[in-house]
């Protein structure tokens, strides 16, 4: 079965359209080859000779519904781990969850929704954190009615989430003492979450696109909605509509947390932006809270033209960056990284220093820190080309080819909007035209297919 015979152009277009209509995964519209690989395996399993045959199977009533569930599990990307994105969990620990606990003391009832929960690491992380915060506040978690809902389109991921057994890789950001306190080993390399945390979380199949249908999706209201690294696979207009639908399911004092690389970042007037150290959060406008205080200054970020590739830190941090670079150049990289952290404590949305910290962390082999910092730069400065350039290479080196390709494509789209002589922020003099030439050279050299395009 050759690819051309199995996937004629008209059939492939029908397949792409069917997948996008059902799942919203716009990600595959320009990655037909990836979809062909996944669908090809499913076709071989069912003895389908062409994608027309496979489309007929998908349309075959209950049998088709079962196959859709299997296909959805195969095409979704579910890599995650406990307490992913430390700054967001710091915001949850220091600001968001304490406020929600204080406001819910009368009812002792909290509802939280983890959208795209994958293997359950995110909602279980919230259960662990909530339990600790209640204990520290002198409140018995058993006396609270806490509903944490995890939803996903992947039935395989949901099955794994319900089992609550995790590998060392999923627990890689947890200290051994914490791992021993929260999990029970079931084999030399797997651990099961304790029952008390598991009871706080329930899982169900849900397509996030149901939110855009009348009476679709989980009913609100929710105190907190986490939708991190889900919207990156959707077209921008669709992502905006989904966030607005989530906002309609929040209590007036509720919060939404999104991933660092989502395609949109301003959701006025239904949500206002709250700047917290190292991250952004979103909540209903202050008029909906009856004038109650917010612990951080809330305002919607100023919109910039798509072609304006100028980073906008809170202050001119060029002198600070120069001093840090000088220290790093003398071989004192750990000291340079501490200087970055100290500066970011005072100026948490300074993209220049976040970017420099990411580069230093990568050079030191701290790949997780580097990845999170590059994503944070993109989150704070949506049109930052070099952050996407470095992040794509880092992910590629780690084997994350699909996401690396998506991020590199975003980078190229941004660069093409610029005059060729535009100097790219944090590019050490690299121009838009120069980066385009490097990218073309890399793509034209098969032997160096994964060559670095980072200057």
């Amino acid at each position: 079965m050759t690819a051309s015979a199995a996937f004629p152009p008209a059939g492939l277009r029908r397949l792409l359209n069917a997948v996008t209509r059902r799942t919203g995964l716009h990600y595959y519209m320009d990655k037909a080859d990836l979809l062909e690989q996944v669908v090809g395996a499913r076709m071989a399993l069912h003895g389908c000779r062409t994608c027309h045959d496979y489309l007929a199977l998908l349309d075959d009533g209950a049998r088709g519904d079962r196959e859709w569930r299997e296909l959805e599990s195969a095409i979704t990307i579910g890599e995650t781990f406990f307490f992913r994105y430390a700054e967001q969990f710091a915001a949850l620990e220091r600001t968001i969850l304490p406020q929600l606990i204080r406001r819910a003391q009368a009812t002792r009832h909290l509802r939280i929704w983890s959208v795209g929960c994958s293997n359950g690491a995110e909602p279980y992380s919230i259960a662990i954190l909530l339990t600790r915060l209640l204990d520290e506040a002198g409140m018995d978690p058993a006396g609270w009615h806490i509903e944490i809902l995890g939803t996903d389109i992947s039935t395989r991921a949901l099955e794994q989430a319900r089992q609550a057994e995790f590998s060392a890789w999923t627990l890689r950001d947890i200290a051994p003492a914490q791992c021993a306190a929260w999990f029970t080993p079931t084999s030399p390399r797997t651990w099961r979450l304790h029952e008390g945390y598991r009871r706080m979380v329930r899982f169900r199949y849900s397509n996030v696109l149901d939110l855009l249908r009348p009476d679709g999706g989980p009913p609100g209201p929710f105190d907190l909605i986490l939708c991190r690294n889900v919207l990156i696979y959707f077209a921008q207009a669709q992502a905006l509509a989904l966030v607005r639908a989530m906002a309609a399911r929040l209590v007036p004092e509720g919060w939404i947390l999104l991933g660092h690389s989502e395609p949109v970042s301003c959701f006025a007037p239904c949500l206002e932006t709250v700047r917290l150290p190292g991250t952004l959060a979103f909540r209903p406008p202050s008029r909906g809270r009856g004038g109650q205080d917010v612990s951080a200054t809330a305002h919607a970020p100023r919109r910039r033209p798509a072609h304006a590739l100028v980073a906008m830190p809170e202050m001119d941090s060029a002198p600070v960056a120069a001093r840090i670079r000088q220290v790093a150049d003398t071989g004192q990289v750990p000291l340079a990284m501490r200087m970055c952290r100290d500066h970011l404590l005072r100026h948490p949305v300074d993209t220049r220093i976040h970017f420099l910290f990411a580069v230093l962390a990568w050079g030191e082999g701290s790949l997780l820190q580097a990845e999170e910092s590059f994503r944070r730069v993109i989150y704070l400065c949506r049109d930052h080309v070099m952050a996407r350039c470095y992040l794509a290479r880092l992910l590629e080196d780690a084997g994350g080819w699909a996401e690396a390709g998506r991020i590199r494509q975003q980078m190229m789209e941004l660069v093409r909007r610029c005059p060729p002589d535009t100097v790219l922020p944090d590019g050490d003099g690299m121009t838009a035209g120069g980066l385009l030439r490097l990218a073309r050279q890399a793509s034209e050299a098969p032997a160096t297919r994964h060559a670095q395009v980072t200057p």
Side-chain angles (χ1 to χ4, degrees):
M1 181 175 68
T2 65
S4 59
F7 296 95
L12 181 57
R13 282 195 301 274
R14 280 187 59 205
L15 181 60
L16 282 167
N17 290 336
V19 168
T20 304
R21 278 196 310 272
R22 169 113 177 178
T23 67
L25 295 177
H26 192 263
Y27 171 78
Y28 284 99
M29 289 305 291
D30 58 354
K31 296 173 180 62
D33 56 334
L34 294 178
L35 190 64
E36 285 182 29
Q37 293 176 21
V38 176
V39 172
R42 301 300 306 171
M43 287 168 56
L45 182 65
H46 291 286
C48 299
R49 300 187 60 186
T50 72
C51 60
H52 292 290
D53 299 331
Y54 188 66
L55 282 163
L57 168 62
L58 293 174
D59 286 336
D60 186 13
R63 185 167 171 248
D65 287 340
R66 287 193 298 271
E67 180 56 24
W68 265 118
R69 297 290 179 95
E70 292 297 324
L71 180 60
E72 288 163 351
S73 295
I75 64 177
T76 49
I77 301 169
E79 195 333 62
T80 189
F81 52 92
F82 275 75
F83 299 98
R84 187 178 188 182
Y85 301 134
E87 283 71 17
Q88 288 196 334
F89 269 92
L92 285 163
E93 179 178 2
R94 298 168 188 167
T95 302
I96 297 173
L97 290 178
Q99 284 195 7
L100 293 178
I101 289 171
R102 285 195 298 271
R103 291 193 175 104
Q105 284 189 45
T107 62
R108 301 201 167 205
H109 185 193
L110 286 174
R111 296 191 74 220
I112 298 170
W113 179 19
S114 170
V115 185
C117 66
S118 187
N119 64 4
E122 178 176 272
Y124 285 140
S125 296
I126 296 294
I128 292 170
L129 181 55
L130 257 179
T131 299
R132 183 168 67 78
L133 290 173
L134 288 170
D135 282 336
E136 290 176 352
M139 304 178 192
D140 182 4
W144 282 65
H145 181 47
I146 296 173
E147 300 178 66
I148 304 176
L149 172 65
T151 64
D152 205 282
I153 200 173
S154 170
T155 53
R156 297 178 199 170
L158 291 171
E159 181 179 353
Q160 183 183 0
R162 293 185 181 105
Q163 292 172 351
E165 290 192 4
F166 300 96
S167 67
W169 180 244
T170 308
L171 306 180
R172 61 187 181 271
D173 209 30
I174 298 179
Q178 294 171 322
C179 190
W182 300 333
F183 297 85
T184 300
T186 56
S187 78
R189 294 195 59 80
T190 59
W191 289 262
R192 191 165 197 231
L193 186 66
H194 288 172
E195 174 66 23
Y197 303 122
R198 298 202 308 269
R199 281 198 301 264
M200 297 170 67
V201 185
R202 63 186 178 91
F203 298 95
R204 58 171 275 194
Y205 171 88
S206 179
N207 185 339
V208 70
L209 282 187
D210 290 343
L211 287 172
L212 305 183
R213 304 181 179 106
D215 302 320
F222 292 97
D223 299 283
L224 169 65
I225 298 176
L226 303 104
C227 184
R228 306 188 305 163
N229 302 313
V230 174
L231 303 178
I232 54 177
Y233 302 105
F234 292 82
Q236 182 168 328
Q238 205 165 41
L240 181 57
L242 288 169
V243 172
R244 286 174 175 163
M246 292 177 207
R249 286 166 170 77
L250 281 179
V251 300
E253 303 84 9
W255 295 82
I256 290 181
L257 276 181
L258 303 176
H260 289 151
S261 303
E262 308 296 9
V264 284
S265 61
C266 182
F267 307 103
C270 63
L271 290 172
E272 64 185 16
T273 304
V274 181
R275 291 188 181 274
L276 299 171
T279 193
L280 302 177
F282 305 91
R283 65 186 321 186
S286 55
R287 61 180 179 274
R289 295 192 295 277
Q292 297 182 52
D293 290 338
V294 179
S295 64
T297 302
H299 59 278
R302 182 170 60 188
R303 302 297 291 172
R304 284 172 285 147
H307 64 276
L309 298 178
V310 179
M312 297 177 64
E314 291 182 319
M315 56 170 286
D316 181 8
S317 56
V320 177
R323 288 198 298 273
I324 294 173
R325 286 177 182 272
Q326 287 175 352
V327 171
D329 288 343
T330 66
Q332 302 179 78
V333 177
L335 174 58
M337 292 176 68
R338 284 200 299 274
M339 292 170 67
C340 288
R341 290 192 186 98
D342 290 344
H343 177 84
L344 291 171
L345 285 174
R346 299 187 300 274
H347 306 281
V349 293
D350 190 329
T351 56
R352 180 183 285 117
I353 304 303
H354 276 301
F355 180 84
L356 180 54
F357 180 79
V359 173
L360 293 172
W362 192 4
E364 284 292 278
S366 301
L367 303 186
L368 185 59
Q369 280 191 327
E371 178 187 344
E372 290 190 357
S373 292
F374 283 131
R375 291 187 187 276
R376 192 168 306 110
V377 173
I378 295 169
Y379 189 56
L380 297 171
C381 184
R382 293 291 174 179
D383 46 20
H384 200 295
V385 169
M386 298 311 301
R388 283 185 166 82
C389 184
Y390 278 77
L391 179 58
R393 174 60 196 275
L394 187 154
L395 292 171
E396 208 168 55
D397 286 350
W401 311 111
E403 189 176 8
R406 177 184 60 78
I407 291 172
R408 183 165 284 122
Q409 182 182 20
Q410 293 173 349
M411 176 195 79
M412 298 299 289
E413 290 172 355
L414 286 170
V415 173
R416 290 190 185 102
R417 299 175 191 172
C418 304
D421 59 351
T422 300
V423 178
L424 301 174
D426 299 309
D428 290 331
M430 172 69 70
T431 64
L435 186 57
L436 280 173
R437 284 192 297 274
L438 281 176
R440 289 195 202 100
Q441 291 169 7
S443 64
E444 291 168 0
T448 58
R449 178 172 173 265
H450 303 307
Q452 181 175 351
V453 299
T454 311

